[in-house]
């Protein structure tokens, strides 16, 4: 049962099932539209967006690149800052962001982070964000620091 609650296991399970086309997961698109950001102010949209990134950043080739960047860097801040990571991540995000209505650019990444910030206090969103940042090479303290930064973006 612990595996059923692990977001990493769930994400990978969904990806495998979709890849094998064994069954289609119930689509949360009824709750919000992926095509229009204006109507996507719902947690389901944010979870789909974050899950897509988690799966992409979990790819072995991407992880190999992250390990190479970490091997060249100092660990002073838990890899909160990792030279080369932003460019590496953007190469992947350029493929994902347009599907969710964001520009495939650095500005699009910033807009996406701002959009996700309104749901940062939702446990599943926070866990997915931490999982993504872990795949991006951050340690637990750096993930927490990033989450705090995202929380500060929430408008009162």
């Amino acid at each position: 049962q612990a595996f059923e609650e692990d977001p990493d296991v769930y994400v990978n399970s969904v990806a495998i099932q979709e890849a094998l086309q064994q069954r289609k997961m119930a689509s949360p698109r009824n709750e919000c539209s992926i095509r229009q950001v204006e109507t996507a102010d719902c947690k389901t949209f944010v979870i789909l967006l974050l899950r897509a990134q988690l799966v992409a950043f979990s790819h072995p080739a991407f992880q190999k690149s992250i390990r190479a960047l970490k091997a060249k860097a100092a660990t002073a801040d838990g890899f909160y800052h990792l030279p080369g990571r932003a460019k590496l991540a953007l190469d992947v995000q350029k493929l994902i962001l347009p599907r969710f209505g964001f520009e495939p650019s650095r500005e699009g990444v910033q807009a996406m982070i701002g959009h996700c910030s309104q749901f940062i206090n939702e446990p599943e969103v926070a866990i997915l964000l931490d999982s993504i940042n872990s795949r991006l090479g951050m340690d637990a303290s750096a993930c927490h620091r990033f989450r705090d930064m995202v929380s500060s973006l929430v408008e009162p």
Side-chain angles (χ1 to χ4, degrees):
Q1 180 159 357
F3 288 123
E4 292 175 5
E5 297 174 8
D6 187 310
D8 295 336
V9 172
Y10 177 75
V11 168
N12 290 327
S13 172
V14 170
I16 290 167
Q17 290 174 6
E18 287 178 349
L20 296 176
Q21 297 180 352
Q22 289 181 346
R23 66 182 179 96
K24 295 208 182 263
M25 300 300 289
S27 175
R29 292 184 187 198
N30 295 339
E31 293 183 36
C32 63
S33 170
I34 288 179
R35 294 186 183 99
Q36 297 179 350
V37 175
E38 302 81 32
T39 61
D41 289 335
C42 66
K43 184 175 98 171
T44 302
F45 174 85
V46 170
I47 288 170
L48 287 171
L49 170 61
L50 295 176
R51 196 177 296 147
Q53 292 180 84
L54 179 59
V55 169
F57 293 144
S58 296
H59 191 277
F62 186 86
Q63 287 301 298
K64 182 178 179 181
S65 297
I66 288 291
R67 284 191 300 276
L69 291 176
K70 287 176 76 171
K72 296 179 198 175
T75 63
D77 64 355
F79 297 109
Y80 186 79
H81 297 100
L82 180 61
R85 175 178 48 214
K87 182 190 177 319
L88 184 63
L90 184 58
D91 288 344
V92 172
Q93 289 169 317
K94 283 180 178 179
L95 303 173
I96 297 170
L97 293 179
R99 292 182 4 222
F100 292 88
F102 296 98
E103 292 179 28
S105 65
R106 186 176 168 153
E107 292 78 15
V109 172
Q110 292 171 345
M112 179 263 308
I113 291 169
H115 187 77
C116 293
S117 70
Q118 62 189 314
F119 299 101
I120 194 61
N121 293 323
E122 295 286 339
E124 189 173 5
V125 172
I127 289 169
L128 282 168
L129 190 61
D130 285 352
S131 296
I132 288 168
N133 286 327
S134 176
R135 297 300 191 286
L136 290 173
M138 292 185 193
D139 70 8
S141 66
C143 289
H144 183 75
R145 184 175 166 193
F146 186 84
R147 209 172 347 111
D148 286 346
M149 182 278 300
V150 172
S151 294
S152 73
L153 301 174
V154 178
E155 296 180 18

